[in-house]
Amino acid sequence: MISVAIDGPAGAGKSTLSRKVAAELGFIYVDTGALYRAVGLKFIDKGANTELNVDIDSILAETKVDIRFCEGEQRVFLDGEDVSDKIRTPEVSMMASAVSAKPAVRAYLLEMQRKLARENNVIMDGRDIGTVVLPNATVKIFLTASAEDRSRRRYEELILKNQNVTYKEVYDDMVKRDYNDSHRDIAPLKPAEDSVIADTTGFEFQESLELLLSIIREKAEI
């Protein structure tokens, strides 16, 4: 099986690009960030804030996250409910960043991710896929862009979804997430030593897509 690990900071376009790359190659796309967002949504529903002054283990014990593939598209279910759209808000983003720093949460989701890679050709994106989840991935890519570029892309995406946000709010959130993700004690965001750095600052979508496809085809010899 071929596994492609795509890591990088928030707003780098990992999900959109990985989904398209998977479709082009006929692989399964696994959006690991969506799994953490689903867990984050559960904690929000339980009244937790980002300080997570709650009993994490007891909440996880009553949490069921599933991935289902519908016509090749990943849908995320939380306790039997399709929450694929509900998890795409700034509030859930911040909670996802908070819960992903907790070892218990990472352990809860780790085996699910590895099992998918053992059984399928996968494109898997996240923060620590190449460093922790799939350290033996066939191809490792660290996808990045400037904070300004990433904030603009995320802002335009949220506006299209009728979210009431300002560019400054998105930028401030992006900078905060970058700091939190790269400074956490457990699995901090950083490129794997053997990853290819793909900086798409100033790139249009098609240029970014062609860059990733060329890296994967060369490294995986496909």
Side-chain angles (χ1 to χ4, degrees), residues 85-103:
D85 297 322
K86 291 176 67 174
I87 59 178
R88 300 296 173 180
T89 67
E91 180 187 17
V92 174
S93 292
M94 291 305 295
M95 185 60 83
S97 183
V99 300
S100 67
K102 299 300 181 181

Side-chain angles (χ1 to χ4, degrees), residues 28-45:
I28 283 178
Y29 164 57
V30 182
D31 175 5
T32 63
L35 302 177
Y36 286 99
R37 285 171 176 269
V39 174
L41 179 60
K42 179 60 172 270
F43 276 74
I44 290 172
D45 290 344

